[in-house]
Amino acid sequence: MWIDIPPFVILFVGALLAAVTRGNLRKAVMLVTPVIGGLNLIGIEHGSRFEWEVMGNTLTLFRVDGLSLIFGYLFHLAAFIGNLFALHLGEEDRATTQHTSALLYAGSALGAVFAGDLITMFVFWELLAFTSVFLIWARDEERSYRSGFRYLIIHVLSGVILLSGALMLAHETGSIEFGHIGLEGGSLAGWLILISFGIKAAFPLAHNWLTDSYPEGTATGAVFLSAFTTKVAVYGLARGYAGTEMLIYIGAVMTAFPIFYAVIENDLRRVLGYSMINQIGFMVTGVGLGTALGVNGAVAHAFNDVIFKGLLFMTMGSVLHQTGRINGSDLGGLYKSMPWTAGFCIVGAASISAFPLFSGFVSKSMVMAAALEDGHTVVWLVLLFAAAGVFHHAGIKIPFFAFYGHDSGIRTTDPPKNMLFAMGLAAILCIVIGTFPEQTLYRILPFEGSYHPYDATHVLTQTQLLFFGALAFVGLQKFRIYPAELRSTNIDAEWGYRWVAPRVVQGVGAVVARVDRTVRGVVMGLVRGTIRLATREHAGQGMLARTWPTGSMVLWVAILLVTYLAFYLTP
C-alpha cells in the first residue's frame, strides 16, 4: 500500500506540515519530506498505476514508466537541494509562504509528470502556476508584484489552451489518456496542446515570461523556479511530441537567439534566464529528433540543467542575499570575501559550458551527436555556435562580472552554512555525473542505447570550442569591444505586450470613446427634440392639448370613414 501513494501526496502533506510548524521542526519537515518521497519512488515498479473513477471517466493520478521516473527522481533531488538552500529563512510570514509554496510547487511538478491522462495533467499544470507565483511575490516589491501577475496570466492562459486541446482530443479519439499526440493529420487539438507546452517551455516569442519573472523571485525562490516549470514542459513534449520535426528547428532557434540578449544584459539573474532558454533549446531539439539518443540526450540534459542551473541561481542568490545587488555593473571583486561561493559558481559555469568531466558535457554532446547522426548538419552547426555562446554569457560572464572583473569595493562574507552546503552538494553532483555518467545518469535514462561521451573526437572538439571561446572573450575585453555592463533596460519581445499592446488598447479605447460621444450626442439630440415637440403640442395651448367640440370630432370621424370606404370600394 505504501508504494501506491502518488508522489505528489507526500509533498503536499509536507507542505501542510511546513505551514503549521516552526523552528527546527519545520526545518526537519523541509528536509525529510523530499527524502521520504524519493525513497518511496525508488521502491515503485515500472508499470504501477493509480486510477480514480470520476463521473464515468478514469483519471490516472499515477503512471510509472522510464520517462516519468527519471523526472520523479530529478524533482525530489531538486526539492531537497532547494529546501536546504532556503533553510536559513526565519519565522516571518514571508518565510512560511516560501517554504509552503516550494513544497506545493515541487508536488505539483511531480503530479504533472506522473499524470496518466490530460485532465489530471491540466490540474497540476495550473497548480504549477498558482503555487510558484508566491515565490515571486514573496520578494515584496512593486516590480515583483507586477511581474508575478504577468506570470500568472500567461500560465493560466497556457492551462486554458491545454484544457481546450484535451477536450477536443477526447472528442476526436474518445480517450483522455496522455500518450503520444503528435501533429499527424493536422489535428487542431494536437496544435493547441503543443502551443500550451510551448508557452511553458519558453518557445521563441513566448519566452519573456521567464526572463521577466525569474529575476524578480526571492534569492531562494528563483532556485525553485528554475527547476520545475520548464522541465515539466520538456517532459510533456517528450511524452506527446517526440519525433515532431518542427521541434528540431524551434529548439535550434532557442539555443541561438538568447545569446545576443544575455551578452548585453546587466541583471545577472536575467542572464541566467536567457541561458535557461538556450539550454531548453538543446532539449527541444533532442525531443524533435525523436531517436533514442536524441530523447535520452534531451532528458539527460534536463536532469543536468536542473542541477547546474540551480547551482548558478544559488550562487547569484547568495550574492543578492549578502550584498543586496545583482547587476554586473554594481559587482566585482567578490572572490576576496565570498571565496566558496565564487568556487561553486565556477563549477556551475564549467558544467553549463560543457567542460569535459563536468555534467553538461555528457548530456549536451548526446543531443549534438544525435543531430549529426540524423543528418541535420546545419542544426548541428547552430548547436555548436550555441555551445560556444553559452560559454560566453554563462560560463565566463557570470563569474567574471560577479566575482572578478573590476573591484566594486564590496566586502561581505560567504552566505549561511546551509546555503553553502546546498551549493556544495550541487557542485559535487555536477562533477560526479560528469566524471561517471555511465554509472550514474545513463543508468536511469528512459530508452535503451549506448553512448560513450569520452572519445577523442568529442573531447577534442569541445576543448577546441572552449579554448577559442575563451580566446574570443579575452580579445573582446582587451580591445574593449565586449558590451559594457550598463544600468539599462533591454527591450525584448515583451515590448509587444508591455509597451505596444497597452498603447494600442488605449488608442482603440480613445477612438471608441469619441465614436460613443458622437453617437450619444446625436441620439440624445433626437430624444431631446422629440421631447420638445411633444411638450409643445401636448402642453399649454398646443394643438393636441386643446378641448375640441363634440361636433368637430363627429365630423372628423365621418371624414375618415368616407375616406376609408372610398379606398376600400374602389376596384
Side-chain angles (χ1 to χ4, degrees):
M1 184 64 182
W2 170 255
I3 65 172
D4 288 336
I5 299 175
F8 74 87
V9 173
I10 298 174
L11 274 293
F12 281 7
V13 170
L16 177 62
L17 294 175
V20 298
T21 54
R22 294 292 184 273
N24 290 332
L25 182 57
R26 177 193 284 174
K27 294 179 180 179
V29 168
M30 297 297 294
L31 294 180
V32 169
T33 298
V35 172
I36 294 175
L39 292 174
N40 173 64
L41 202 60
I42 291 174
I44 295 177
E45 297 180 356
H46 283 234
S48 298
R49 298 173 72 92
F50 185 94
E51 297 179 342
W52 186 24
E53 292 289 334
V54 179
M55 301 176 63
N57 294 305
T58 301
L59 301 182
T60 307
L61 302 182
F62 183 43
R63 174 189 57 189
V64 179
D65 59 16
L67 185 59
S68 60
L69 203 55
I70 187 172
F71 280 92
Y73 295 145
L74 173 62
F75 290 162
H76 281 97
L77 178 61
F80 179 82
I81 294 175
N83 285 341
L84 178 59
F85 186 72
L87 211 61
H88 65 281
L89 296 177
E91 302 295 332
E92 68 273 11
D93 291 339
R94 279 193 297 168
T96 302
T97 299
Q98 290 186 73
H99 283 150
T100 305
S101 298
L103 284 173
L104 289 173
Y105 183 30
S108 300
L110 286 166
V113 298
F114 282 106
D117 66 90
L118 288 168
I119 301 302
T120 302
M121 180 72 166
F122 159 74
V123 172
F124 288 107
W125 195 260
E126 293 291 60
L127 283 175
L128 280 169
F130 286 106
T131 55
S132 59
V133 71
F134 292 99
L135 298 173
I136 302 171
W137 286 339
R139 195 172 179 183
D140 197 24
E141 295 179 0
E142 182 65 23
R143 286 171 56 94
S144 64
Y145 285 124
R146 291 178 179 273
S147 176
F149 277 114
R150 290 191 294 269
Y151 171 89
L152 195 58
I153 290 169
I154 291 171
H155 284 274
V156 169
L157 174 63
S158 170
V160 171
I161 296 172
L162 174 60
L163 180 61
S164 301
L167 295 177
M168 291 178 64
L169 190 65
H171 177 73
E172 293 173 5
T173 64
S175 172
I176 59 173
E177 184 176 357
F178 182 26
H180 180 76
I181 300 170
L183 298 176
E184 294 81 2
S187 168
L188 179 58
W191 278 101
L192 288 175
I193 296 172
L194 177 62
I195 290 170
S196 175
F197 290 171
I199 292 173
K200 262 189 168 54
F203 277 10
L205 302 181
H207 65 279
N208 274 124
W209 65 264
L210 194 157
T211 54
D212 175 33
S213 59
Y214 285 13
E216 299 303 327
T218 62
T220 57
V223 178
F224 290 97
L225 292 169
S226 69
F228 299 116
T229 297
T230 54
K231 304 313 176 292
V232 170
V234 170
Y235 163 82
L237 292 171
R239 173 73 68 185
Y241 295 92
T244 301
E245 187 176 6
M246 181 178 65
L247 294 179
I248 299 173
Y249 308 107
I250 291 176
V253 173
M254 291 177 68
T255 64
F257 85 85
I259 294 171
F260 302 98
Y261 287 102
V263 167
I264 63 174
E265 180 58 51
N266 190 23
D267 185 323
L268 296 183
R269 291 205 298 178
R270 202 168 192 219
V271 172
L272 289 178
Y274 281 114
S275 175
M276 181 176 294
I277 298 169
N278 163 274
Q279 298 301 299
I280 296 169
F282 283 92
M283 304 169 208
V284 173
T285 299
V287 170
L289 291 169
T291 61
L293 180 60
V295 177
N296 273 348
V299 173
H301 202 54
F303 194 100
N304 287 335
D305 182 72
V306 167
I307 299 172
F308 62 61
K309 190 60 62 57
L311 175 56
L312 289 170
F313 266 105
M314 283 190 282
T315 59
M316 292 302 99
S318 298
V319 169
L320 179 62
H321 182 268
Q322 294 300 108
T323 69
R325 304 177 187 182
I326 198 60
N327 288 339
S329 57
D330 300 330
L331 299 172
L334 290 178
Y335 76 94
K336 299 175 182 177
S337 53
M338 301 180 70
W340 281 101
T341 307
F344 292 138
C345 184
I346 291 173
V347 173
S351 299
I352 196 172
S353 302
F355 270 81
L357 302 180
F358 291 87
S359 58
F361 176 79
V362 302
S363 55
K364 188 179 293 184
S365 60
M366 293 178 73
V367 176
M368 297 177 69
L372 206 54
E373 286 182 5
D374 211 41
H376 292 280
T377 306
V378 174
V379 172
W380 178 80
L381 290 172
V382 173
L383 298 182
L384 196 65
F385 164 77
V390 74
F391 179 46
H392 265 262
H393 70 255
I396 298 178
K397 177 174 180 172
I398 293 291
F400 180 78
F401 286 106
F403 298 101
Y404 302 96
H406 74 283
D407 192 337
S408 62
I410 299 174
R411 295 296 178 263
T412 181
T413 61
D414 274 311
K417 290 182 179 179
N418 65 287
M419 301 174 82
L420 290 174
F421 288 152
M423 290 187 284
L425 176 57
I428 290 171
L429 288 172
C430 287
I431 296 171
V432 170
I433 293 174
T435 306
F436 306 104
E438 296 179 17
Q439 293 81 3
T440 54
L441 179 60
Y442 291 176
R443 295 179 59 185
I444 58 175
L445 291 177
F447 301 105
E448 293 291 334
S450 61
Y451 177 73
H452 305 287
Y454 288 108
D455 62 36
T457 302
H458 289 144
V459 174
L460 184 60
T461 300
Q462 188 64 17
T463 303
Q464 287 177 329
L465 186 71
L466 294 169
F467 175 79
F468 284 108
L471 186 63
F473 179 83
V474 172
L476 292 172
Q477 283 288 114
K478 181 70 174 178
F479 294 102
R480 301 184 183 278
I481 302 174
Y482 194 88
E485 300 301 293
L486 303 175
R487 294 178 176 87
S488 59
T489 300
N490 294 320
I491 300 174
D492 198 347
E494 63 190 26
W495 177 75
Y497 66 82
R498 293 183 63 179
W499 193 91
V500 175
R503 284 158 178 78
V504 169
V505 171
Q506 291 171 2
V508 172
V511 172
V512 170
R514 285 197 297 271
V515 172
D516 175 71
R517 285 195 298 269
T518 302
V519 173
R520 191 186 299 272
V522 172
V523 172
M524 292 305 297
L526 292 173
V527 171
R528 285 192 292 268
T530 303
I531 292 174
R532 284 196 299 269
L533 178 62
T535 301
R536 186 174 64 248
E537 297 299 330
H538 286 272
Q541 296 301 313
M543 182 179 294
L544 298 178
R546 299 172 188 170
T547 301
W548 290 73
T550 303
S552 298
M553 295 302 297
V554 172
L555 176 62
W556 280 108
V557 170
I559 291 171
L560 290 173
L561 179 61
V562 170
T563 303
Y564 171 76
L565 290 173
F567 280 104
Y568 180 75
L569 295 174
T570 301

